[in-house]
Each structure stands twice: as C-alpha cells, then as structure tokens.
C-alpha cells in the first residue's frame, strides 16, 4: 500500500522506468550496458516505491502511552527550552528518518489539536543542532488526557523539500492517526512534560504508531 502523497511521483517514476526500459531495449546493443541500465532503473523505482509505502499500523490507543510518530532512529533525548509554544522546559525526544524509512507522520497521542503552524525555512541536514529552529517545519500541539499538551514537530532535512501537515486546530484526533507526511530524509521532534517516563534509548529503532516513546 502506498501513500497518496506519492501518487504523482510514482506514476512519473513508472513512466520513466517503462520508457527507459523500452529505449534501452531498442538502442543499447551492448548486453553488459543493457543489463546495467535495467539494474539502475529497477533500483531507482524500488527506492521510490519504498519511500512512499504506507504500511497499516494499529496504535495501542492507550491514554497512558505516547507512541512514536514516525519510523526511524532515536537521536535525541534531552531536556530543552521550547521557545515557540510552551516557552518553558520540555523533554525532547527526536527521531531521525532515512530516505528508506516510512515517512508517514502519526499523532503520538489522542486528544484535541490546539496549535498547528507551518514555518518556511532552510534545509540543513536533519541532525543539525539548529534544524529544529531554522529548517522548514511544522509544529503541532495536541492536548491529551494524561500528558497534557504534547507537541510534535516535523522538520525537513537536506533532501526533504516538502512537508505536508494535515493537523487543523480544533480537530479531535486518535493516537496513530495520520498527521502528515515528509518527502525524503527528515526528523520529528516530540516535546513532553519534564519528568515523563521515557521508554526508549538513544540509537534505538522505532516504528510509527507502534513503538512506545513514553508512559504516564
């Protein structure tokens, strides 16, 4: 199953693959060069399809748990001053996504969307310390029953050139529902109340809507 955000790119990629294959079959007479061309076309198509896949995920729907919003690797667990919305100390957990990870962004907890904002910006590498403040990004805050207000921030990386955000202020959302999509390598930061029980470790691989980030 593929995500709707990839429909246009997938159609274009399939067209390019077909045209490239037909052209190589017609004009490339050297067998080694022909097979090399086929391999390159297959690999490129595979990478595009991998990126836009959208596997079914079933969230625990547990008000006492916060799930990872995306697939990837935990790269930050630290207490920081969040200056955009909370303007106080928060516990930040960041998940980095490679181009091969599923890039669907999901709500880490159920509740009501109380803040949603898009910021244009730069395209620093996603793990850059200033990426969360200077890169293209969207900030979404959901008021949950057990954790209070929980923020997740989509951050574009060096390859990501478009962030899609589905969150609208006033929306009632469920844990694991789609919140958005980031095209190509990127990062998502989660901001939790200080003292929250974190259930992940640095460099741990997590899955969106499945892996438990924190518990009440």
């Amino acid at each position: 199953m593929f995500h709707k955000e990839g429909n246009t790119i997938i159609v274009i990629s399939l067209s390019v693959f077909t045209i490239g294959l037909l052209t190589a079959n017609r004009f490339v007479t050297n067998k080694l060069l022909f097979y090399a061309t086929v391999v390159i076309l297959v690999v490129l198509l595979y990478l595009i399809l991998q990126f836009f896949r959208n596997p079914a995920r079933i969230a625990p729907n547990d008000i006492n748990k916060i799930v990872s919003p995306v697939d990837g690797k935990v790269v930050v667990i630290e207490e920081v001053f969040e200056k955009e919305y909370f303007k106080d100390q928060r516990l930040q957990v960041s998940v980095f996504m490679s181009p091969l990870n599923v890039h669907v962004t999901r709500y880490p907890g159920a509740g009501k969307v109380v803040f949603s904002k898009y910021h244009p910006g730069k395209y620093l590498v996603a793990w850059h310390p200033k990426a969360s403040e200077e890169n293209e990004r969207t900030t979404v805050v959901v008021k949950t029953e057990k954790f209070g207000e929980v923020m997740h921030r989509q951050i574009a990386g060096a390859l990501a050139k478009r962030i899609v955000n589905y969150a609208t202020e006033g929306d009632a959302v469920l844990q694991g529902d789609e919140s958005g999509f980031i095209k190509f390598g990127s990062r998502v930061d989660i901001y939790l109340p200080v003292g929250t029980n974190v259930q992940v470790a640095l460099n741990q691989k997590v899955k969106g809507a499945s892996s438990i980030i924190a518990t009440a």
Side-chain angles (χ1 to χ4, degrees):
M1 183 177 180
F2 300 104
H3 199 276
K4 61 183 180 181
E5 297 296 339
N7 288 347
T8 300
I9 294 178
I10 290 174
V11 169
I12 293 173
S13 299
L14 286 171
S15 299
V16 170
F17 174 80
T18 302
I19 292 171
L21 197 60
L22 292 174
T23 301
N25 186 58
R26 176 69 176 82
F27 296 104
V28 179
T29 55
N30 183 289
K31 286 188 176 181
L32 184 60
L33 182 58
F34 172 77
Y35 289 129
T37 301
V38 172
V39 169
I40 291 172
L41 289 171
V42 169
V43 169
L44 290 175
L45 180 60
Y46 173 78
L47 291 175
I48 293 294
L49 295 178
Q50 276 285 101
F51 179 80
F52 286 105
R53 69 193 188 281
N54 186 16
R57 297 283 170 79
I58 300 176
N61 288 318
D62 189 335
I63 61 173
N64 296 298
K65 296 176 180 177
I66 292 293
V67 299
S68 178
V70 290
D71 291 18
K73 182 172 72 172
V74 177
V75 294
V76 173
I77 302 175
E78 63 181 6
E79 189 176 319
V80 299
F81 183 82
E82 198 292 306
K83 61 179 68 173
E84 179 183 0
Y85 179 82
F86 294 114
K87 297 179 175 59
D88 65 11
Q89 294 297 118
R90 292 281 149 168
L91 183 60
Q92 177 185 334
V93 179
S94 299
V95 179
F96 172 75
M97 294 168 282
S98 78
L100 294 180
N101 284 127
V102 173
H103 275 55
V104 180
T105 306
R106 305 174 189 275
Y107 290 105
K112 181 180 180 180
V113 177
V114 295
F115 184 79
S116 180
K117 187 173 183 179
Y118 168 79
H119 302 269
K122 300 177 181 179
Y123 297 100
L124 302 173
V125 289
W127 56 84
H128 194 285
K130 293 187 177 181
S132 61
E133 297 179 2
E134 297 185 6
N135 277 19
E136 179 191 7
R137 62 200 182 279
T138 63
T139 301
V140 176
V141 179
V142 174
K143 187 173 184 179
T144 68
E145 183 176 340
K146 283 288 186 177
F147 297 86
E149 293 181 330
V150 173
M151 173 190 290
H152 66 277
R153 179 177 287 144
Q154 297 173 295
I155 303 170
L159 294 177
K161 301 301 181 185
R162 184 180 176 220
I163 292 178
V164 182
N165 177 27
Y166 304 142
T168 301
E169 291 180 16
D171 284 353
V173 299
L174 297 177
Q175 187 176 63
D177 280 355
E178 288 189 17
S179 168
F181 194 93
I182 313 178
K183 295 189 175 181
F184 301 104
S186 43
R187 187 178 106 194
V188 170
D189 294 342
I190 309 151
Y191 292 87
L192 301 162
V194 173
T196 300
N197 299 312
V198 175
Q199 301 297 313
V200 291
L202 285 174
N203 298 316
Q204 180 177 333
K205 292 183 179 179
V206 292
K207 286 189 175 183
S210 301
S211 299
I212 307 302
I213 294 292
T215 57

